[in-house]
Amino acid sequence: MKAIIVGASSGIGQEVAKLLLADGWTLGVAARREEQLMQLKALAPDRVEVMTIDVTETDADERLLALIQRLGGIDLYFHASGIGKQNRTLDPDIELRTAQTNALGFMRMVGAAFRYFAAPSHSPRGEGAMIAAITSIAGTKGLGPAPAYSATKALQANYLEALEQQARQRKLPIHILDIRPGFVDTALLNDNFPYPMLMQPDHVARDIVACIKKRRHVRIIDWRYRLLTAGWRLVPRWLWRRFKI
Ligand SMILES: NC(=O)c1ccc[n+]([C@@H]2O[C@H](COP(=O)([O-])OP(=O)(O)OC[C@H]3O[C@@H](n4cnc5c(N)ncnc54)[C@H](OP(=O)(O)O)[C@@H]3O)[C@@H](O)[C@H]2O)c1
């Protein structure tokens, strides 16, 4: 099996890459930092192709297609790229950069993968192709401390839901998996804030790989966050605005 992971240079994406490599997959790994990607290549030089991709650049989709070509096709596109920061003062730079990466960059890359899989010449065999992406539980509600992050994560989840329906309507064999973790101990949370219920990236990656194998549709990780978000959804707007997060 072959996959491309965009956002494989650290954190959850890097852990998923290691697990898929251990499982015998051939990988294309991408992100902006080449040195970290080369460390993955060192683990299995014959089964890893490296490409630097910045999802905010307009040529990122072309670079993705070039990487797919280098691999001779793929079964899975895995989108792990993302940035996120608390922004309690609504610094516009943080808001707009988050939108560039998590909204525009996300649609650019996931859209390119979808169009690639949708093309008749690239129709995958067997169970069909899969697009998996890490969104977040932050997309469940608008979160005051991180407006752009929670809004872009809601956009991502909505976009995946739309693509899932479009694939079905067009009878395209493209499976969509939306992965929504709670807090994970990665560089994304390096702001010294005491995040509760912190999970380790290798634990989250194992859950993700199991979901890929089981061809799940949506996965909130872990059970504590499944309970928390189910509760959040029940909170009416007049009460939510009073929540201290
Ligand atoms: N950590 C959490 O608590 C948590 C919770 C829920 C969801 N998530 C989501 O999980 C995903 C992975 O985050 P992480 O926690 O593993 O953090 P991370 O270690 O910071 O990883 C983020 C990855 O995204 C890549 N990336 C960032 N901007 C990029 C760009 N412009 N172009 C290409 N790649 C880019 C980074 O690579 P380069 O810097 O090398 O480009 C890196 O590989 C994100 O979408 C995040 O929102 C995280």
Side-chain angles (χ1 to χ4, degrees), residues 190-205:
N190 65 355
D191 55 5
N192 294 321
F193 187 83
Y195 291 96
M197 300 200 293
L198 205 56
M199 299 178 288
Q200 289 310 306
D202 58 332
H203 165 77
V204 172

Side-chain angles (χ1 to χ4, degrees), residues 71 83 85 131 134 147 157 197 229 243 245:
L71 289 166
I83 59 170
K85 258 192 173 20
I131 294 175
I134 309 176
M197 300 200 293
T229 51
F243 263 46
I245 296 182

Side-chain angles (χ1 to χ4, degrees), residues 51-90:
M51 174 84 87
T52 52
I53 297 181
D54 181 340
V55 302
T56 66
E57 296 287 339
T58 50
D59 70 346
D61 48 353
E62 283 165 30
R63 294 180 72 75
L64 172 64
L65 293 179
L67 183 55
I68 294 175
Q69 209 143 49
R70 257 210 254 158
L71 289 166
I74 52 169
D75 306 284
L76 166 68
Y77 174 74
F78 189 91
H79 192 93
S81 287
I83 59 170
K85 258 192 173 20
Q86 292 204 22
N87 194 5
R88 292 172 189 268
T89 56
L90 209 62

Side-chain angles (χ1 to χ4, degrees), residues 3-64:
I4 283 179
I5 303 180
V6 176
S9 60
S10 64
I12 308 169
Q14 187 184 56
E15 293 298 326
V16 169
K18 286 182 191 165
L19 290 178
L20 292 183
L21 279 180
D23 247 9
W25 288 59
T26 296
L27 295 185
V29 292
R32 291 167 302 181
R33 287 169 295 169
E34 191 171 20
E35 205 182 315
Q36 279 80 350
L37 299 174
M38 291 310 287
Q39 288 168 9
L40 283 172
K41 186 166 175 70
L43 296 176
D46 300 341
R47 287 190 288 120
V48 179
E49 292 289 334
V50 168
M51 174 84 87
T52 52
I53 297 181
D54 181 340
V55 302
T56 66
E57 296 287 339
T58 50
D59 70 346
D61 48 353
E62 283 165 30
R63 294 180 72 75
L64 172 64

Side-chain angles (χ1 to χ4, degrees), residues 6-13 30-33 53-56 80-83 101-102 134-137 149 153 156 180-189:
V6 176
S9 60
S10 64
I12 308 169
R32 291 167 302 181
R33 287 169 295 169
I53 297 181
D54 181 340
V55 302
T56 66
S81 287
I83 59 170
T101 306
N102 296 0
I134 309 176
T135 66
S136 172
I137 60 145
Y149 187 68
K153 290 297 171 178
Q156 293 181 349
R180 303 176 186 173
F183 295 130
V184 189
D185 191 5
T186 68
L188 193 114
L189 301 185

Side-chain angles (χ1 to χ4, degrees), residues 137 197 223-233:
I137 60 145
M197 300 200 293
W223 65 270
R224 295 166 301 174
Y225 289 98
R226 289 197 277 283
L227 283 179
L228 180 75
T229 51
W232 278 3
R233 283 197 194 89

